[in-house]
Amino acid sequence: MQSDLQLWKSPNMGDFCYNNSMRIISRKRLVEFWQIHPDAEHPLRAWYAEARKAKWRSPAEIKSIYKNASLLANNRVVFNIKGNDYRLIVVIEYRQDKIFIRFIGTHQEYDRIDATTI
């Protein structure tokens, strides 16, 4: 399994530095969801690959890429998956390069939760 951090030698500092990619906690939730909803697998894999490589530092950066994403309080972002058939809610810790998956579900399931507190 490939590490979320890639190590390289810094030419200026002489010691090791980390090339951080976003760490997504946890991919397992996405896999469990697409096992139940196979039509979500390709869009979720694509989102995961893009998010993992991202260097998001602000909600504005996300919005510039994902025009349909909803920005909520407490660093929550709602992504529309597969043409809005599914909703993905994450919490992003920008300074720590971490994305926490809080919810993945159908649009109907999303309508029954409070996206700002989940």
Side-chain angles (χ1 to χ4, degrees):
M1 180 175 192
Q2 185 179 3
S3 171
D4 286 335
L5 299 175
Q6 296 175 343
L7 209 53
W8 84 90
K9 185 87 169 159
S10 170
N12 297 331
M13 299 174 69
D15 58 357
F16 289 98
C17 298
Y18 288 96
N19 178 16
N20 291 330
S21 59
M22 297 299 276
R23 182 163 181 225
I24 302 172
I25 305 167
S26 123
R27 181 178 182 269
K28 181 180 177 183
R29 292 185 74 179
L30 300 178
V31 173
E32 289 171 349
F33 185 80
W34 77 53
Q35 287 174 340
I36 297 167
H37 303 277
D39 61 325
E41 181 175 2
H42 181 72
L44 285 172
R45 281 184 183 272
W47 176 88
Y48 179 86
E50 290 175 15
R52 189 165 179 267
K53 292 178 190 175
K55 300 285 188 193
W56 295 327
R57 295 291 173 239
S58 71
E61 287 183 23
I62 295 170
K63 197 69 171 171
S64 72
I65 298 166
Y66 293 95
K67 306 286 187 220
N68 293 325
S70 299
L71 306 175
L72 307 178
N74 302 319
N75 292 332
R76 283 174 166 71
V77 181
V78 180
F79 293 95
N80 297 324
I81 304 295
K82 195 184 165 274
N84 205 21
D85 286 350
Y86 305 108
R87 295 281 180 96
L88 172 64
I89 302 173
V90 301
V91 173
I92 301 178
E93 295 294 337
Y94 296 97
R95 290 183 181 197
Q96 296 177 4
D97 296 324
K98 291 182 182 176
I99 300 172
F100 297 90
I101 296 174
R102 304 298 296 158
F103 171 87
I104 178 71
T106 66
H107 198 125
Q108 295 78 20
E109 291 167 334
Y110 173 83
D111 288 341
R112 293 191 299 260
I113 60 144
D114 181 352
T116 62
T117 60
I118 195 163

